[in-house]
Amino acid sequence: MSDLPDTFDDAFSVVEQSEWLRKVFPSVVDAELPGEVEPFSFVPAAGLAEVAAAVRVGPGGLLVDLACGRGGPGLWVARRLGARLRGVDASPVAVAAATRRRALFGPGLDARFAVGDLAGTGLDDGVADAVVCVDAFQFSEDHDPVVRELRRVLRPGGRLALTCWESRDLGDSAVPARFAGLRCGELLRRGGLADVEVVERPGWEQRRRAAYEAALAAGPSDDAGLALMREEARSALGSLPRLRRVLVTATNPA
Ligand SMILES: C[S@@+](CC[C@H](N)C(=O)[O-])C[C@H]1O[C@@H](n2cnc3c(N)ncnc32)[C@H](O)[C@@H]1O
């Protein structure tokens, strides 16, 4: 999600109780997403496959999912790669849900989740072969410390893949402030990352629009998650054409 109510803990408490957000929303984002993923984000299965390919982690490598939410997208990528997974999120409710979700991905997956911040993960220096961050980089108030933290936990040569949005026009006051001046590639280059590539993924954005339209078209319901999505749809639909949907990849220099 890109715009949310008061706190993520509140939002995730709603999600846990919402049949619409847990079952209908993922199938609208992409019917190909396996049921166990239950994302709280807007990346279709082919997008997660792109993220997995971009991080180039081999079996047994360590993948960090920064702002992992309820864990599904990172678990999907880790399972696909045969990697070990460490997920970090600011929301204890999300971390507890991610820890429960791990079992849905099969017994062989080494995955652990902990409460932490984008700028302070609590992970050791150089521990990660790769870091992924799905639809969450925009929530940082100050991106430079987040980039420093990414580099600190990545081993030399380690890879980063993040999904985000940026305003098409720099400083556009018609989009949420968190996107108005966001230039992920510039932030990563300034922080010393190499091989930085920013590619636009308009097809993913169509799925976000579809999810909003499905929420608005759904009939009367007392599902609080559906109400949450309708609220977000009303506030965000108008600014979608002013945003570009991006996949950003980079390498921590050796
Ligand atoms: C839109 S959700 C995406 C969650 C997950 N990546 C997914 O794809 O389902 C954004 C996530 O960012 C987390 N978050 C926001 N600000 C954070 C921060 N400063 N440090 C750590 N996590 C944060 C939220 O708790 C939430 O789980």
Side-chain angles (χ1 to χ4, degrees), residues 1-4 7-9 12 37-43 48 65-74 88-92 94-95 115-120 132-141 146 163 165:
M1 306 293 144
S2 57
D3 292 286
L4 287 164
T7 72
F8 280 102
D9 262 351
F12 285 122
V37 178
E38 287 188 23
F40 200 50
S41 50
F42 294 97
V43 181
L48 292 181
D65 184 3
L66 197 50
C68 61
R70 297 162 65 246
V88 174
D89 197 279
S91 162
V95 167
V115 175
D117 193 82
L118 285 163
V132 298
C133 183
V134 176
D135 292 0
F137 187 65
Q138 71 271 18
F139 291 114
S140 164
E141 308 246 314
V146 178
T163 64
W165 293 263

Side-chain angles (χ1 to χ4, degrees), residues 12 16 69-71 75 92-102 113:
F12 285 122
E16 287 291 294
R70 297 162 65 246
L75 284 160
V93 174
V95 167
T99 302
R100 289 193 298 275
R101 181 169 311 281
R102 177 180 53 193
F113 301 91

Side-chain angles (χ1 to χ4, degrees), residues 238-254:
S239 62
L240 290 194
R242 309 180 77 89
L243 296 174
R244 65 171 175 245
R245 184 66 157 123
V246 292
L247 168 64
V248 186
T249 56
T251 304
N252 193 28

Side-chain angles (χ1 to χ4, degrees), residues 34-242:
E36 62 270 25
V37 178
E38 287 188 23
F40 200 50
S41 50
F42 294 97
V43 181
L48 292 181
E50 258 193 279
V51 166
V55 295
R56 302 175 198 157
V57 175
L62 190 92
L63 179 70
V64 168
D65 184 3
L66 197 50
C68 61
R70 297 162 65 246
L75 284 160
W76 188 92
V77 171
R79 182 174 64 188
R80 184 180 178 94
L81 297 169
R84 295 169 293 135
L85 179 67
R86 299 293 176 264
V88 174
D89 197 279
S91 162
V93 174
V95 167
T99 302
R100 289 193 298 275
R101 181 169 311 281
R102 177 180 53 193
L104 303 177
F105 283 77
L109 191 55
D110 173 355
R112 284 183 239 153
F113 301 91
V115 175
D117 193 82
L118 285 163
T121 60
L123 297 167
D124 290 341
D125 291 359
V127 73
D129 294 297
V131 172
V132 298
C133 183
V134 176
D135 292 0
F137 187 65
Q138 71 271 18
F139 291 114
S140 164
E141 308 246 314
D142 182 0
H143 294 94
D144 289 333
V146 178
V147 176
R148 274 199 295 280
E149 181 68 358
L150 292 170
R151 285 203 65 193
R152 187 187 67 74
V153 301
L154 273 173
R155 67 164 170 77
R159 294 278 293 164
L160 166 70
L162 66 87
T163 64
C164 201
W165 293 263
E166 300 177 338
S167 59
R168 292 194 179 280
D169 298 326
L170 202 57
D172 186 349
S173 58
V175 303
R178 64 175 66 97
F179 303 116
L182 190 55
R183 290 294 179 265
C184 301
E186 285 174 25
L187 287 162
L188 296 179
R189 284 188 198 100
R190 186 166 81 204
L193 284 142
D195 307 331
V196 178
E197 288 184 37
V198 181
V199 291
E200 191 170 345
R201 288 290 175 261
W204 302 2
E205 201 60 344
Q206 285 168 17
R207 306 318 308 154
R208 181 179 175 195
R209 177 178 289 280
Y212 288 158
E213 288 172 350
L216 293 174
S221 166
D222 58 3
D223 186 309
L226 176 57
L228 184 68
M229 183 59 66
R230 284 176 168 152
E231 194 183 317
E232 177 168 325
R234 287 189 197 100
S235 76
L237 258 175
S239 62
L240 290 194
R242 309 180 77 89

